[in-house]
Amino acid sequence: MRTHRIAAIPADGIGPEVIGAGIEVLSALAARDGSFNFEFEHFDWGSERYRATGRLMPEDGAEQLRQFDAIFFGAVGAPDVADHVTLWGLRLAICQPLDQYANVRPTRILPGISSPLRAATADNLDWIIVRENSEGEYAGNGGRAHPGLPLEVATETAVFTRAGVARIMRFAFELARSRPRKLLTVVTKSNAQRHGMVLWDEVAREVAAEYPEVAWDKMLVDAMTVRMTLDPGSLDTIVATNLHADILSDLAAALAGSIGIAPTANLNPERQFPSMFEPIHGSAFDITGKGVANPVGTFWTACMMLDHLGESEASARLMRAVERVTADPRYHTPDLGGQARTAEVTAAVIDALAREDVVAAAG
Ligand code: ATP
């Protein structure tokens, strides 16, 4: 029996609802499979802890996580705590010390889901966005002077290192090469940002020379939004900076039907540290506690975690079950125009897993 030790950090808003659903589905999957299981350890880190103690997680939080095989994360953010406090106090406080430098965000239109784009279908919208997750605009470099005075100043300096850019480019070219179309688009803004982004372009060109079998092109980030909207089929793998990819992947999620469906993995590809898996949506206070959060993004995230843990067959089984459920509009939550509740979608996926086993046994 293979045991996977998972740190569960549901955190804020709908985080506990979707992570609870994810754990239910993963436990059902493992119980049916019988060859692996999970040991979940729950961490109560988040905004409530911040209100009580002044910290979202303990000082040695990242250190505590090092012993786990993976981290299953919900969402962070609260209406009464500044967004930069919650982001830097928890999500970035985990990603950065654990060197999860590659943030991977697949986007597809799942069965039964329609895109707000008339021209987008499951055949022509199938992207994977790679976000540089350790430096760039999120390096935390900058400061403020003359606080409160008329000459108050604030700086926010993006940091691009040759090593940091090279490793994310190499990761993106490898990923592009592993996909059937072997096609990579490098997003940039080197017309206006003539230092960091020019280094980004130069390193892209150098790394591209190592991957002659990958066709690649370069797009300015503004033009990229137009191409994603008007010509989705011309894209496959995409690599962009921390900030650019953050914005583009929200657009991608919306174009694929709902932000409630999109998954993401924060990877430490060398596996020196555990990687972290989370739905891309945030804490969504408007629907918190109502039992209507879409758990599909978390289920897809769970599939990415299973792949990372070496359970590819179980991952494929879970994804098939999820797609069977999204295909049925009775199981669409309100963000998809339906009336289903989180618990109903979760039960339907567990049910579909049982049917998967029957099909597998018959086959
Ligand atoms: P944050 O500021 O923490 O990123 P947020 O709540 O401001 O989060 P998002 O999480 O990006 O923003 O979500 C925007 C809106 O999309 C939410 O207010 C909610 O209405 C909807 N939404 C997000 N996730 C889901 C989900 N899983 N199921 C249903 N609706 C969702």
Side-chain angles (χ1 to χ4, degrees):
M1 175 80 80
R2 300 178 297 279
T3 297
H4 303 297
R5 297 197 61 230
I6 310 294
I9 311 176
D12 298 340
I14 59 171
E17 299 169 48
V18 293
I19 290 299
I23 289 175
E24 235 183 281
V25 162
L26 282 170
S27 303
L29 179 72
R32 297 204 74 84
D33 186 285
S35 67
F36 66 92
N37 64 6
F38 294 102
E39 269 175 32
F40 290 101
E41 191 166 322
H42 293 261
F43 291 83
D44 66 347
W45 302 348
S47 297
E48 217 171 290
R49 195 176 186 285
Y50 174 79
R51 288 185 207 101
T53 68
R55 291 189 69 97
L56 284 106
M57 69 178 203
E59 213 156 337
D60 68 342
E63 198 51 40
Q64 287 185 35
L65 295 174
R66 284 188 66 163
Q67 49 165 317
F68 290 91
D69 297 317
I71 304 161
F72 199 30
F73 188 89
V76 67
D80 59 337
V81 186
D83 284 343
H84 67 273
V85 171
T86 50
L87 184 66
W88 282 92
L90 193 59
R91 205 181 150 273
L92 293 179
I94 296 171
C95 288
Q96 296 196 342
L98 299 184
D99 206 18
Q100 295 163 348
Y101 66 84
N103 182 227
V104 178
R105 302 181 162 204
T107 308
R108 281 194 291 126
I109 301 179
L110 298 187
I113 311 287
S114 48
S115 167
L117 281 184
R118 251 174 315 164
T121 64
D123 294 329
N124 68 8
L125 198 162
D126 182 357
W127 303 330
I128 189 149
I129 299 181
V130 176
R131 171 184 182 185
E132 200 297 314
N133 211 31
S134 69
E135 54 177 36
E137 308 87 344
Y138 286 47
N141 211 305
R144 294 172 72 159
H146 314 303
L149 298 176
L151 42 62
E152 182 165 8
V153 60
T155 60
E156 192 80 51
T157 309
V159 173
F160 293 92
T161 62
R162 176 171 283 280
V165 178
R167 67 183 182 173
I168 200 65
M169 287 297 167
R170 216 158 264 132
F171 182 90
F173 273 97
E174 292 279 342
L175 185 61
R177 187 169 62 179
S178 74
R179 287 169 56 91
R181 293 177 68 190
K182 302 190 192 322
L183 181 64
L184 177 70
T185 300
V186 176
V187 178
T188 184
K189 190 64 189 171
S190 50
N191 56 344
Q193 296 177 302
R194 60 203 173 125
H195 307 296
M197 290 278 75
V198 171
L199 176 67
W200 173 267
D201 290 359
E202 283 169 12
V203 174
R205 207 169 311 117
E206 285 166 24
V207 173
E210 299 168 24
Y211 298 88
E213 60 280 63
V214 175
W216 74 287
D217 62 356
K218 202 174 81 177
M219 284 298 291
L220 294 176
V221 65
D222 42 344
M224 186 66 176
T225 59
V226 177
R227 182 162 161 197
M228 286 168 73
T229 313
L230 297 184
D231 195 8
S234 71
L235 296 162
D236 186 80
T237 309
I238 296 159
V239 62
T241 69
N242 217 328
L243 178 65
H244 291 163
D246 183 38
I247 298 165
L248 294 179
S249 57
D250 259 31
L251 172 63
L255 296 181
S258 167
I259 193 166
I261 289 176
T264 182
N266 300 281
L267 299 178
N268 172 252
E270 291 76 22
R271 295 175 184 259
Q272 289 164 303
F273 303 103
S275 294
M276 179 160 82
F277 301 82
E278 55 174 339
I280 86 160
H281 63 74
S283 35
F285 318 117
D286 51 333
I287 55 164
T288 298
K290 296 191 174 149
V292 295
N294 190 344
V296 169
T298 301
F299 297 158
W300 192 348
T301 295
C303 292
M304 295 182 83
M305 185 165 79
L306 285 163
D307 275 327
H308 185 76
L309 294 169
E311 303 292 355
S312 314
E313 211 182 291
S315 165
R317 215 177 316 143
L318 176 55
M319 200 64 213
R320 280 196 300 273
V322 169
E323 292 189 13
R324 203 173 283 181
V325 169
T326 61
D328 185 341
R330 281 179 305 159
Y331 298 116
H332 286 185
T333 40
D335 55 305
L336 296 173
Q339 285 173 354
R341 304 180 59 76
T342 314
E344 289 166 335
V345 184
T346 307
V349 169
I350 293 173
D351 221 48
L353 280 172
R355 270 184 286 146
E356 271 283 320
D357 288 353
V358 173
V359 172

